Amino acid sequence: MINPSYLTLSPNGKYLYACTDTRVPKGGSVSSFEFNPENKTLTFLNKQSSHGENPVYLSVHKSGKWLVNGNYNEGSVAVHPILENGKIDSLAQHFQYSDGSVNKERQTKSHVHSTVFSPQNDYLFLPDLGADKIRCYRFDETKKQPLLETKAPFTKTDLEAGPRHLTFHPNQKFGYCIEEMSGSVSVYQYDNGTLKQIQRINTHPDTITSGFESSDVHISPDGKFLYASNRGKENNIAIFSISKKGLLKNIGYQSTLGNHPRVFAMDESGKFLIATNVNSGNVVVFARNPKTGLLTKVGNEVKMENVTCVQIKNI
């Protein structure tokens, strides 16, 4: 594999999908692997073009029959059917965007940074760092081209926000989008494909006023806490409590004990959080206190050069 980056798992845990050939000029692909937990092996199955340079994110529909990937450099989204044997089929649908936003250095054009299904898997959201938009399509898994346009094709974010990753609350009423350029999390009331902003809160202390590189965001399975990673000057995870109205309150920070935590993940029980630090090449496991939401390092660090993503599947 050439430069695998973002990973995702099939709903049944049998297959793993990866963005590959990332940051390869005029390149980009998505690859499939079969996972055997007994033998602890990954077997390469096949790959397809990502239909855009620098794929950075991919998601599998809950049916296990569709793979969607976002291409950062060219600002596009591609949809592939998944065959019964886990292999990725040829392209079914592709949308290209050209609009940018106000930052002349980073937002001259679209940069789709993630492809996130709604809680019911009936909509697809595309946070677009380059355009300061969260794009939206209806997703009909029964059609050969499942992405369908909606009356509201996008939600505008604050200017120079740089929306990156998006996650939904377990109660399905709220969405949370981390903004790379502003170092903030925007909270949205969610209803049937629509997002309405109700809060925006910094992921950093007031003493830090520039150089934000916020990256990933996840919510504990009990819906009580939100975690947001910061790279750059901070290299930490900001921890927030979540009120019954979906609003956030900062309750602390935890160093990831490394440099550049691009992606982190929680296991399905919510007991553990694993952070990957790209630049320092180390993976750190934290135990999560379910009452306070705070994190404590446990176990040994794993050294892994250029480690960029982690996904967890309980088996």
Side-chain angles (χ1 to χ4, degrees):
M1 293 291 99
I2 297 175
N3 202 18
S5 58
Y6 195 82
L7 311 172
T8 196
L9 289 158
S10 62
N12 60 15
K14 291 183 179 180
Y15 305 105
L16 180 138
Y17 300 93
C19 294
T20 44
D21 299 302
T22 58
R23 295 190 175 184
V24 174
K26 298 181 180 179
S29 61
V30 287
S31 299
S32 62
F33 303 82
E34 185 175 10
F35 174 54
N36 186 320
E38 294 181 0
N39 298 333
K40 301 183 172 117
T41 58
L42 282 176
T43 302
F44 173 74
L45 296 176
N46 80 323
K47 73 176 181 177
Q48 298 280 359
S49 169
S50 60
H51 293 273
E53 194 173 293
N54 196 14
V56 292
Y57 199 103
L58 73 177
S59 300
V60 177
H61 188 265
K62 68 176 180 180
S63 66
K65 296 180 179 180
W66 295 100
L67 180 75
V68 183
N69 74 271
N71 300 303
Y72 181 84
N73 284 17
E74 295 180 6
S76 66
V77 60
V79 183
H80 293 265
I82 297 175
L83 303 175
E84 289 186 5
N85 60 6
K87 290 185 177 181
I88 305 168
D89 205 352
S90 56
L91 182 72
Q93 206 168 8
H94 178 265
F95 287 97
Q96 177 83 51
Y97 315 104
S98 59
D99 49 327
S101 191
V102 296
N103 187 302
K104 294 181 180 180
E105 292 183 0
R106 300 195 59 191
Q107 296 181 309
T108 57
K109 61 180 181 179
S110 166
H111 294 302
V112 173
H113 219 307
S114 57
T115 57
V116 181
F117 283 103
S118 65
Q120 295 294 328
N121 275 236
D122 52 352
Y123 288 90
L124 180 76
F125 291 93
L126 311 172
D128 189 330
L129 182 147
D132 283 329
K133 293 177 179 178
I134 302 174
R135 303 183 189 274
C136 177
Y137 290 91
R138 194 161 65 85
F139 197 94
D140 187 341
E141 62 174 300
T142 66
K143 296 187 177 297
K144 292 183 179 180
Q145 293 187 322
L147 291 184
L148 305 174
E149 293 187 4
T150 62
K151 292 182 179 179
F154 59 83
T155 299
K156 289 188 110 178
T157 68
D158 291 77
L159 294 178
E160 291 192 90
R164 181 180 170 99
H165 287 182
L166 174 70
T167 191
F168 287 93
H169 195 280
N171 68 14
Q172 304 183 12
K173 296 179 180 179
F174 306 103
Y176 300 83
C177 184
I178 192 160
E179 300 167 357
E180 176 177 335
M181 294 170 61
S182 70
S184 304
V185 173
S186 280
V187 183
Y188 296 91
Q189 194 168 29
Y190 176 70
D191 181 36
N192 195 31
T194 62
L195 296 169
K196 180 182 178 182
Q197 190 183 60
I198 57 174
Q199 186 190 19
R200 192 174 189 229
I201 186 169
N202 290 337
T203 63
H204 50 271
D206 293 339
T207 53
I208 298 177
T209 58
S210 63
F212 311 123
E213 292 186 47
S214 297
S215 55
D216 202 10
V217 61
H218 295 283
I219 294 174
S220 58
D222 60 13
K224 294 181 179 180
F225 299 96
L226 179 142
Y227 301 83
S229 57
N230 297 300
R231 301 165 296 173
K233 300 175 181 178
E234 301 170 82
N235 294 311
N236 64 19
I237 293 176
I239 306 169
F240 300 86
S241 62
I242 305 176
S243 74
K244 291 182 179 180
K245 295 183 178 180
L247 302 179
L248 301 179
K249 179 182 178 182
N250 181 269
I251 58 172
Y253 301 89
Q254 172 61 53
S255 168
T256 59
L257 305 175
N259 189 320
H260 205 84
R262 186 170 184 264
V263 174
F264 67 95
M266 266 183 285
D267 77 304
E268 295 170 20
S269 71
K271 293 180 180 179
F272 298 99
L273 182 151
I274 299 178
T276 60
N277 297 296
V278 180
N279 292 347
S280 54
N282 63 322
V283 182
V284 185
V285 181
F286 297 92
R288 195 183 71 86
N289 186 314
K291 293 183 179 180
T292 65
L294 300 180
L295 303 172
T296 304
K297 180 185 178 296
V298 293
N300 297 320
E301 292 184 22
V302 175
K303 292 294 183 180
M304 193 179 300
E305 187 176 359
N306 296 323
V307 60
T308 181
C309 187
V310 56
Q311 296 290 351
I312 305 170
K313 180 67 178 178
N314 291 5
I315 56 174

